[in-house]
Amino acid sequence: MSITVSLIFAILLSACGQAAQPTIKIGVNAELTGDIPKVGEGTKYAAELWLEDIKAAGGLEVGGKKYQVELIIEDNESKAESAVAANTKLITQDEVLVIVGPQASKQAVPAGEVANNYETPMISPWSTNPNTTKDRPWVFRACFLDPFQGPVVANFVTEEFGFTKAGVLYDVASDYPKGLAEFFKKAWEDLHGPGSVVAYESFTTKDTDFSAQLTKIKDAGAEFIFTPQYYNEVALIVKQAHQLGWDKPIVGSDSWGSSELIPLCGADCYGLFFSTHYAAAGATGKTKEFIDRYNAKYGYVPDDVGALTWDAFGLVQQAIQNCGKITGDVKTDRKCIRDALAQIKAYDGITGKMDFTQGNDPIKCAVIVKISDQGEFTFYKSVCP
């Protein structure tokens, strides 16, 4: 899941030769086109909404001095190689100080390597694969990890339905679904014993016909299907399963939480559950304020990508301000922001409280969402570490 945020301290000179207000550049590396464009759209919208507040305040105040902020948004085309190229450009050409994103693990894992190698701080709002931040002191995230999410889903299904036989369907060629499917399988078998995942079926990115795998899952006697796929694939999988006569639960993960899911899936997805980072329906306080602003400006309720992006920008803002000053030296300022991000121990975001006491990955609660008969993502229960 990905955005690049960079800060460049630049003294801009006006035509008449007078010094203008210094500018902090923030780069965004987003999936604006490709397989999951709604993810990139939510990223861009949340980033621009955050920038509105900075401009309204007259700039970002650091050590008593106001800086203008400029977003540099790059499209990674939902491809790993494009995410790497975008990060490289933002770091070496635009000289960004901080990178926010990419969002999806397929892009965030390779892009994170670039950021770490160039010693440029990067924070992915939505990437849950452990490899995004593993052994990378310059890379952070604003969401929980899949080693937590896998057991959350396994425990929820066990407690909610009392099932003991699971079927799994996932994309073997994509970091996020592959990793989460593995974590779920281990958690499920820890609960119910070897062989309790009665069907473990895979496909490859871009596949659109899942009937063979779904038939195997059905024939194996699975009591439900866990499919940690992105919203565009979920709609196909659920519809094809129902066409094959499947009438049991299908359960998902945070990759389901796009505002585009219901337009694509329709009533086929009503009543299904998935784990995610927040539930828009019934939200209160500053979470509701964000939802209302976003909805009023863009015409739809923000998904978890938008909410996590908002929190990622909040963390970046706090880190910049905690530096106390911007020196104008790119390496020095990148190092200061990295260290400041690492020193944030607790952050009260709109997706919940985050505890960073174990490094660059927050410890936070997961939410189980049930899709209502009106297609709303409704809060069902919270699961905390």
Side-chain angles (χ1 to χ4, degrees), residues 298-317:
Y298 303 117
Y300 65 90
V301 173
D303 54 26
D304 56 352
V305 168
L308 286 168
T309 300
W310 181 266
D311 279 346
F313 271 90
L315 287 163
V316 166
Q317 178 178 339

Side-chain angles (χ1 to χ4, degrees), residues 264-326:
L264 292 172
C265 191
D268 281 279
C269 278
Y270 291 178
L272 302 186
F273 294 91
F274 62 93
S275 59
T276 190
H277 307 273
Y278 97 131
T284 60
K286 59 185 178 183
T287 305
K288 187 176 187 306
E289 291 176 10
F290 167 76
I291 292 169
D292 290 345
R293 281 185 63 192
Y294 188 107
N295 196 7
K297 187 172 182 64
Y298 303 117
Y300 65 90
V301 173
D303 54 26
D304 56 352
V305 168
L308 286 168
T309 300
W310 181 266
D311 279 346
F313 271 90
L315 287 163
V316 166
Q317 178 178 339
Q318 182 170 323
I320 294 169
Q321 292 177 318
N322 286 352
C323 278
K325 65 178 181 180
I326 299 295

